[in-house]
Amino acid sequence: MLKLGTTMARSFRIALVQMSVTADKPANLQRASKLVKEAAAGGASVVSLPECFNSPYGTGYFPEYAEQIPGPSTDVLKKAAAENNIFLVGGSIPEEDNGKLYNTCVVFNTTGEMIAKHRKMHLFDIDVPGKITFKESETLCPGDNFTAFDTPFCKIGIGICYDIRFAEMAQLYSKQGCKLLLYPGAFNMTTGPAHWELLTRARALDNQLYVATVSPARDEKAKYVAWGHSTAVSPWGEVIATCEHEETIVYVDIDLDLVDQIRGQIPLTVQRRHDRYEVKDKTQS
Ligand SMILES: NC(=O)CC(=O)C(=O)O
């Protein structure tokens, strides 16, 4: 869509699918398909599902719900991407590979080809006394690679949830030429109100690009209660689209000219003191 000769389209619509996730995996997959179709009908060229869209979020659930890639869940995503002619960022699923488990996001292009696979690099291990203790590393292993993919619009970088706390990762994506970063995530009722929007704005402002976060809808009865509030922030650091915690689809129009305008007005990229400091991708050395 919208690729005019060698000219890249300068604007496009994305959809953040804040879906309700239950303990019933086949029902989750069906729901995801339906909502992706709705998002495409709403004009989105890039659609993202939330973290752990096929399983409840929790270390006890990961081994039970994990599957290989390709597998039943990614087959559903592949079909949904091709049928709706969209780029589909498959939130994340618990992945099993060679006896190890990962929290993994796969991306399909408009013909249903898998073009990217990101394993959460930074595991969510925290201890906030009296509030929340969580240790993803009890059952998961971290991924080792950065993940960005090309579209006819712009390059898009992927992180999963806790990855958003690591400013260096976003900086590297920006350095690679990404103009949009997508973070499927599931913050909680402690860190959500405190940090979700702030981190989304911080990564956008630091790097002068668009950032969007995609949460599952809140289920008050779940063991882990998600914050919701799927949000998009402009390269100026402004929240341009958001929602509360119920199931919904958030649509966002991305204007790539705005990225260039803001970078022209406040030219951080050329003002960086590369002679004095550096953020480096060590996976390439
Ligand atoms: N669930 C996560 O990975 C991250 C999170 O909730 C937080 O950083 O806070």
Side-chain angles (χ1 to χ4, degrees), residues 15-42:
L16 317 177
V17 177
Q18 181 166 292
M19 69 172 268
S20 294
V21 176
T22 69
D24 182 340
K25 195 200 250 192
N28 292 333
L29 296 177
Q30 231 179 7
R31 187 104 201 114
S33 278
K34 182 180 171 289
L35 291 169
V36 167
K37 188 172 178 184
E38 190 181 322

PDB file of all heavy atoms in Angstrom, residues 15-42:
ATOM      1  N   ALA A  15      -2.583   0.594  14.262  1.00  0.00           N
ATOM      2  CA  ALA A  15      -3.635   0.266  15.233  1.00  0.00           C
ATOM      3  C   ALA A  15      -3.018  -0.515  16.390  1.00  0.00           C
ATOM      4  O   ALA A  15      -2.244  -1.457  16.172  1.00  0.00           O
ATOM      5  CB  ALA A  15      -4.729  -0.571  14.566  1.00  0.00           C
ATOM      6  N   LEU A  16      -3.348  -0.083  17.602  1.00  0.00           N
ATOM      7  CA  LEU A  16      -2.868  -0.739  18.821  1.00  0.00           C
ATOM      8  C   LEU A  16      -4.055  -1.531  19.372  1.00  0.00           C
ATOM      9  O   LEU A  16      -5.039  -0.942  19.821  1.00  0.00           O
ATOM     10  CB  LEU A  16      -2.400   0.302  19.840  1.00  0.00           C
ATOM     11  CG  LEU A  16      -1.558   1.474  19.261  1.00  0.00           C
ATOM     12  CD1 LEU A  16      -1.216   2.478  20.351  1.00  0.00           C
ATOM     13  CD2 LEU A  16      -0.301   0.947  18.577  1.00  0.00           C
ATOM     14  N   VAL A  17      -3.974  -2.845  19.295  1.00  0.00           N
ATOM     15  CA  VAL A  17      -5.125  -3.681  19.662  1.00  0.00           C
ATOM     16  C   VAL A  17      -5.018  -4.073  21.136  1.00  0.00           C
ATOM     17  O   VAL A  17      -4.256  -4.969  21.514  1.00  0.00           O
ATOM     18  CB  VAL A  17      -5.192  -4.938  18.768  1.00  0.00           C
ATOM     19  CG1 VAL A  17      -6.345  -5.829  19.193  1.00  0.00           C
ATOM     20  CG2 VAL A  17      -5.341  -4.536  17.305  1.00  0.00           C
ATOM     21  N   GLN A  18      -5.756  -3.367  21.958  1.00  0.00           N
ATOM     22  CA  GLN A  18      -5.755  -3.655  23.411  1.00  0.00           C
ATOM     23  C   GLN A  18      -6.818  -4.728  23.674  1.00  0.00           C
ATOM     24  O   GLN A  18      -7.968  -4.424  24.002  1.00  0.00           O
ATOM     25  CB  GLN A  18      -6.035  -2.373  24.187  1.00  0.00           C
ATOM     26  CG  GLN A  18      -6.016  -2.586  25.703  1.00  0.00           C
ATOM     27  CD  GLN A  18      -5.949  -1.295  26.467  1.00  0.00           C
ATOM     28  OE1 GLN A  18      -4.930  -0.601  26.426  1.00  0.00           O
ATOM     29  NE2 GLN A  18      -6.999  -0.949  27.180  1.00  0.00           N
ATOM     30  N   MET A  19      -6.444  -5.988  23.453  1.00  0.00           N
ATOM     31  CA  MET A  19      -7.447  -7.063  23.523  1.00  0.00           C
ATOM     32  C   MET A  19      -7.535  -7.691  24.915  1.00  0.00           C
ATOM     33  O   MET A  19      -6.579  -7.674  25.687  1.00  0.00           O
ATOM     34  CB  MET A  19      -7.189  -8.143  22.463  1.00  0.00           C
ATOM     35  CG  MET A  19      -5.971  -8.982  22.660  1.00  0.00           C
ATOM     36  SD  MET A  19      -5.887 -10.372  21.465  1.00  0.00           S
ATOM     37  CE  MET A  19      -6.706 -11.683  22.360  1.00  0.00           C
ATOM     38  N   SER A  20      -8.700  -8.246  25.205  1.00  0.00           N
ATOM     39  CA  SER A  20      -8.893  -9.008  26.442  1.00  0.00           C
ATOM     40  C   SER A  20      -8.294 -10.385  26.246  1.00  0.00           C
ATOM     41  O   SER A  20      -8.607 -11.068  25.271  1.00  0.00           O
ATOM     42  CB  SER A  20     -10.381  -9.191  26.740  1.00  0.00           C
ATOM     43  OG  SER A  20     -10.965  -7.959  27.028  1.00  0.00           O
ATOM     44  N   VAL A  21      -7.437 -10.777  27.167  1.00  0.00           N
ATOM     45  CA  VAL A  21      -6.785 -12.094  27.091  1.00  0.00           C
ATOM     46  C   VAL A  21      -7.348 -12.965  28.206  1.00  0.00           C
ATOM     47  O   VAL A  21      -7.486 -12.523  29.346  1.00  0.00           O
ATOM     48  CB  VAL A  21      -5.259 -11.933  27.244  1.00  0.00           C
ATOM     49  CG1 VAL A  21      -4.571 -13.292  27.255  1.00  0.00           C
ATOM     50  CG2 VAL A  21      -4.698 -11.048  26.123  1.00  0.00           C
ATOM     51  N   THR A  22      -7.705 -14.213  27.840  1.00  0.00           N
ATOM     52  CA  THR A  22      -8.265 -15.142  28.828  1.00  0.00           C
ATOM     53  C   THR A  22      -7.341 -16.354  28.960  1.00  0.00           C
ATOM     54  O   THR A  22      -6.297 -16.420  28.309  1.00  0.00           O
ATOM     55  CB  THR A  22      -9.651 -15.641  28.358  1.00  0.00           C
ATOM     56  OG1 THR A  22      -9.447 -16.486  27.201  1.00  0.00           O
ATOM     57  CG2 THR A  22     -10.569 -14.489  27.986  1.00  0.00           C
ATOM     58  N   ALA A  23      -7.776 -17.325  29.750  1.00  0.00           N
ATOM     59  CA  ALA A  23      -6.980 -18.551  29.907  1.00  0.00           C
ATOM     60  C   ALA A  23      -7.223 -19.528  28.752  1.00  0.00           C
ATOM     61  O   ALA A  23      -6.585 -20.582  28.688  1.00  0.00           O
ATOM     62  CB  ALA A  23      -7.315 -19.209  31.247  1.00  0.00           C
ATOM     63  N   ASP A  24      -8.145 -19.196  27.859  1.00  0.00           N
ATOM     64  CA  ASP A  24      -8.535 -20.101  26.780  1.00  0.00           C
ATOM     65  C   ASP A  24      -7.753 -19.707  25.503  1.00  0.00           C
ATOM     66  O   ASP A  24      -8.107 -18.748  24.806  1.00  0.00           O
ATOM     67  CB  ASP A  24     -10.059 -19.931  26.576  1.00  0.00           C
ATOM     68  CG  ASP A  24     -10.603 -20.851  25.501  1.00  0.00           C
ATOM     69  OD1 ASP A  24      -9.820 -21.342  24.665  1.00  0.00           O
ATOM     70  OD2 ASP A  24     -11.841 -21.053  25.500  1.00  0.00           O
ATOM     71  N   LYS A  25      -6.705 -20.484  25.211  1.00  0.00           N
ATOM     72  CA  LYS A  25      -5.834 -20.102  24.093  1.00  0.00           C
ATOM     73  C   LYS A  25      -6.578 -20.043  22.753  1.00  0.00           C
ATOM     74  O   LYS A  25      -6.471 -19.024  22.043  1.00  0.00           O
ATOM     75  CB  LYS A  25      -4.635 -21.054  23.998  1.00  0.00           C
ATOM     76  CG  LYS A  25      -3.535 -20.518  23.114  1.00  0.00           C
ATOM     77  CD  LYS A  25      -2.614 -21.617  22.656  1.00  0.00           C
ATOM     78  CE  LYS A  25      -1.267 -21.523  23.275  1.00  0.00           C
ATOM     79  NZ  LYS A  25      -0.281 -22.415  22.613  1.00  0.00           N
ATOM     80  N   PRO A  26      -7.352 -21.078  22.369  1.00  0.00           N
ATOM     81  CA  PRO A  26      -8.053 -20.975  21.080  1.00  0.00           C
ATOM     82  C   PRO A  26      -8.976 -19.755  21.015  1.00  0.00           C
ATOM     83  O   PRO A  26      -9.070 -19.095  19.973  1.00  0.00           O
ATOM     84  CB  PRO A  26      -8.858 -22.281  21.008  1.00  0.00           C
ATOM     85  CG  PRO A  26      -8.132 -23.231  21.915  1.00  0.00           C
ATOM     86  CD  PRO A  26      -7.543 -22.391  23.015  1.00  0.00           C
ATOM     87  N   ALA A  27      -9.626 -19.432  22.135  1.00  0.00           N
ATOM     88  CA  ALA A  27     -10.508 -18.247  22.148  1.00  0.00           C
ATOM     89  C   ALA A  27      -9.681 -16.970  21.969  1.00  0.00           C
ATOM     90  O   ALA A  27     -10.096 -16.038  21.266  1.00  0.00           O
ATOM     91  CB  ALA A  27     -11.297 -18.194  23.458  1.00  0.00           C
ATOM     92  N   ASN A  28      -8.488 -16.926  22.570  1.00  0.00           N
ATOM     93  CA  ASN A  28      -7.617 -15.747  22.400  1.00  0.00           C
ATOM     94  C   ASN A  28      -7.211 -15.578  20.933  1.00  0.00           C
ATOM     95  O   ASN A  28      -7.169 -14.461  20.408  1.00  0.00           O
ATOM     96  CB  ASN A  28      -6.352 -15.882  23.247  1.00  0.00           C
ATOM     97  CG  ASN A  28      -6.639 -15.815  24.736  1.00  0.00           C
ATOM     98  OD1 ASN A  28      -7.625 -15.202  25.161  1.00  0.00           O
ATOM     99  ND2 ASN A  28      -5.802 -16.456  25.536  1.00  0.00           N
ATOM    100  N   LEU A  29      -6.907 -16.701  20.297  1.00  0.00           N
ATOM    101  CA  LEU A  29      -6.469 -16.626  18.896  1.00  0.00           C
ATOM    102  C   LEU A  29      -7.604 -16.148  17.999  1.00  0.00           C
ATOM    103  O   LEU A  29      -7.410 -15.327  17.092  1.00  0.00           O
ATOM    104  CB  LEU A  29      -5.945 -17.988  18.434  1.00  0.00           C
ATOM    105  CG  LEU A  29      -4.691 -18.483  19.167  1.00  0.00           C
ATOM    106  CD1 LEU A  29      -4.279 -19.868  18.686  1.00  0.00           C
ATOM    107  CD2 LEU A  29      -3.535 -17.501  18.973  1.00  0.00           C
ATOM    108  N   GLN A  30      -8.792 -16.653  18.289  1.00  0.00           N
ATOM    109  CA  GLN A  30      -9.971 -16.239  17.511  1.00  0.00           C
ATOM    110  C   GLN A  30     -10.240 -14.739  17.681  1.00  0.00           C
ATOM    111  O   GLN A  30     -10.527 -14.023  16.735  1.00  0.00           O
ATOM    112  CB  GLN A  30     -11.179 -17.012  18.023  1.00  0.00           C
ATOM    113  CG  GLN A  30     -11.942 -17.669  16.922  1.00  0.00           C
ATOM    114  CD  GLN A  30     -13.128 -18.455  17.493  1.00  0.00           C
ATOM    115  OE1 GLN A  30     -13.430 -18.394  18.680  1.00  0.00           O
ATOM    116  NE2 GLN A  30     -13.792 -19.176  16.626  1.00  0.00           N
ATOM    117  N   ARG A  31     -10.127 -14.309  18.928  1.00  0.00           N
ATOM    118  CA  ARG A  31     -10.373 -12.901  19.258  1.00  0.00           C
ATOM    119  C   ARG A  31      -9.341 -12.001  18.554  1.00  0.00           C
ATOM    120  O   ARG A  31      -9.659 -10.944  18.007  1.00  0.00           O
ATOM    121  CB  ARG A  31     -10.273 -12.747  20.782  1.00  0.00           C
ATOM    122  CG  ARG A  31     -10.654 -11.426  21.309  1.00  0.00           C
ATOM    123  CD  ARG A  31     -12.036 -11.431  21.958  1.00  0.00           C
ATOM    124  NE  ARG A  31     -12.558 -10.082  22.014  1.00  0.00           N
ATOM    125  CZ  ARG A  31     -13.615  -9.681  21.338  1.00  0.00           C
ATOM    126  NH1 ARG A  31     -14.309 -10.499  20.603  1.00  0.00           N
ATOM    127  NH2 ARG A  31     -14.018  -8.440  21.417  1.00  0.00           N
ATOM    128  N   ALA A  32      -8.093 -12.455  18.588  1.00  0.00           N
ATOM    129  CA  ALA A  32      -7.023 -11.675  17.940  1.00  0.00           C
ATOM    130  C   ALA A  32      -7.325 -11.532  16.451  1.00  0.00           C
ATOM    131  O   ALA A  32      -7.227 -10.430  15.894  1.00  0.00           O
ATOM    132  CB  ALA A  32      -5.671 -12.347  18.153  1.00  0.00           C
ATOM    133  N   SER A  33      -7.730 -12.624  15.803  1.00  0.00           N
ATOM    134  CA  SER A  33      -8.046 -12.574  14.363  1.00  0.00           C
ATOM    135  C   SER A  33      -9.142 -11.568  14.076  1.00  0.00           C
ATOM    136  O   SER A  33      -9.059 -10.785  13.121  1.00  0.00           O
ATOM    137  CB  SER A  33      -8.594 -13.916  13.892  1.00  0.00           C
ATOM    138  OG  SER A  33      -7.596 -14.778  13.640  1.00  0.00           O
ATOM    139  N   LYS A  34     -10.173 -11.622  14.904  1.00  0.00           N
ATOM    140  CA  LYS A  34     -11.323 -10.744  14.694  1.00  0.00           C
ATOM    141  C   LYS A  34     -10.915  -9.263  14.860  1.00  0.00           C
ATOM    142  O   LYS A  34     -11.278  -8.405  14.047  1.00  0.00           O
ATOM    143  CB  LYS A  34     -12.416 -11.112  15.712  1.00  0.00           C
ATOM    144  CG  LYS A  34     -13.671 -10.320  15.571  1.00  0.00           C
ATOM    145  CD  LYS A  34     -14.706 -10.733  16.600  1.00  0.00           C
ATOM    146  CE  LYS A  34     -15.890  -9.770  16.587  1.00  0.00           C
ATOM    147  NZ  LYS A  34     -15.556  -8.455  17.127  1.00  0.00           N
ATOM    148  N   LEU A  35     -10.139  -8.992  15.893  1.00  0.00           N
ATOM    149  CA  LEU A  35      -9.754  -7.604  16.158  1.00  0.00           C
ATOM    150  C   LEU A  35      -8.756  -7.083  15.113  1.00  0.00           C
ATOM    151  O   LEU A  35      -8.790  -5.905  14.750  1.00  0.00           O
ATOM    152  CB  LEU A  35      -9.177  -7.473  17.573  1.00  0.00           C
ATOM    153  CG  LEU A  35     -10.216  -7.668  18.690  1.00  0.00           C
ATOM    154  CD1 LEU A  35      -9.541  -7.795  20.048  1.00  0.00           C
ATOM    155  CD2 LEU A  35     -11.213  -6.497  18.723  1.00  0.00           C
ATOM    156  N   VAL A  36      -7.897  -7.961  14.632  1.00  0.00           N
ATOM    157  CA  VAL A  36      -6.949  -7.549  13.583  1.00  0.00           C
ATOM    158  C   VAL A  36      -7.726  -7.176  12.325  1.00  0.00           C
ATOM    159  O   VAL A  36      -7.450  -6.165  11.666  1.00  0.00           O
ATOM    160  CB  VAL A  36      -5.921  -8.673  13.308  1.00  0.00           C
ATOM    161  CG1 VAL A  36      -5.140  -8.396  12.021  1.00  0.00           C
ATOM    162  CG2 VAL A  36      -4.961  -8.812  14.484  1.00  0.00           C
ATOM    163  N   LYS A  37      -8.738  -7.980  12.004  1.00  0.00           N
ATOM    164  CA  LYS A  37      -9.575  -7.688  10.831  1.00  0.00           C
ATOM    165  C   LYS A  37     -10.249  -6.316  11.004  1.00  0.00           C
ATOM    166  O   LYS A  37     -10.297  -5.501  10.075  1.00  0.00           O
ATOM    167  CB  LYS A  37     -10.619  -8.802  10.696  1.00  0.00           C
ATOM    168  CG  LYS A  37     -11.419  -8.732   9.439  1.00  0.00           C
ATOM    169  CD  LYS A  37     -12.294  -9.951   9.283  1.00  0.00           C
ATOM    170  CE  LYS A  37     -13.123  -9.786   8.015  1.00  0.00           C
ATOM    171  NZ  LYS A  37     -14.066 -10.853   7.831  1.00  0.00           N
ATOM    172  N   GLU A  38     -10.763  -6.089  12.199  1.00  0.00           N
ATOM    173  CA  GLU A  38     -11.435  -4.802  12.475  1.00  0.00           C
ATOM    174  C   GLU A  38     -10.440  -3.636  12.339  1.00  0.00           C
ATOM    175  O   GLU A  38     -10.769  -2.595  11.777  1.00  0.00           O
ATOM    176  CB  GLU A  38     -12.013  -4.857  13.898  1.00  0.00           C
ATOM    177  CG  GLU A  38     -12.924  -3.705  14.228  1.00  0.00           C
ATOM    178  CD  GLU A  38     -13.442  -3.798  15.666  1.00  0.00           C
ATOM    179  OE1 GLU A  38     -13.731  -4.923  16.158  1.00  0.00           O
ATOM    180  OE2 GLU A  38     -13.545  -2.733  16.300  1.00  0.00           O
ATOM    181  N   ALA A  39      -9.235  -3.844  12.844  1.00  0.00           N
ATOM    182  CA  ALA A  39      -8.212  -2.776  12.782  1.00  0.00           C
ATOM    183  C   ALA A  39      -7.849  -2.472  11.329  1.00  0.00           C
ATOM    184  O   ALA A  39      -7.683  -1.306  10.952  1.00  0.00           O
ATOM    185  CB  ALA A  39      -6.977  -3.204  13.563  1.00  0.00           C
ATOM    186  N   ALA A  40      -7.747  -3.518  10.509  1.00  0.00           N
ATOM    187  CA  ALA A  40      -7.419  -3.308   9.090  1.00  0.00           C
ATOM    188  C   ALA A  40      -8.567  -2.569   8.406  1.00  0.00           C
ATOM    189  O   ALA A  40      -8.337  -1.645   7.615  1.00  0.00           O
ATOM    190  CB  ALA A  40      -7.142  -4.643   8.416  1.00  0.00           C
ATOM    191  N   ALA A  41      -9.800  -2.952   8.745  1.00  0.00           N
ATOM    192  CA  ALA A  41     -10.963  -2.270   8.153  1.00  0.00           C
ATOM    193  C   ALA A  41     -10.999  -0.802   8.588  1.00  0.00           C
ATOM    194  O   ALA A  41     -11.533   0.056   7.879  1.00  0.00           O
ATOM    195  CB  ALA A  41     -12.249  -2.985   8.565  1.00  0.00           C
ATOM    196  N   GLY A  42     -10.391  -0.511   9.723  1.00  0.00           N
ATOM    197  CA  GLY A  42     -10.324   0.877  10.205  1.00  0.00           C
ATOM    198  C   GLY A  42      -9.195   1.665   9.537  1.00  0.00           C
ATOM    199  O   GLY A  42      -8.916   2.798   9.941  1.00  0.00           O
TER     200      GLY A  42
END
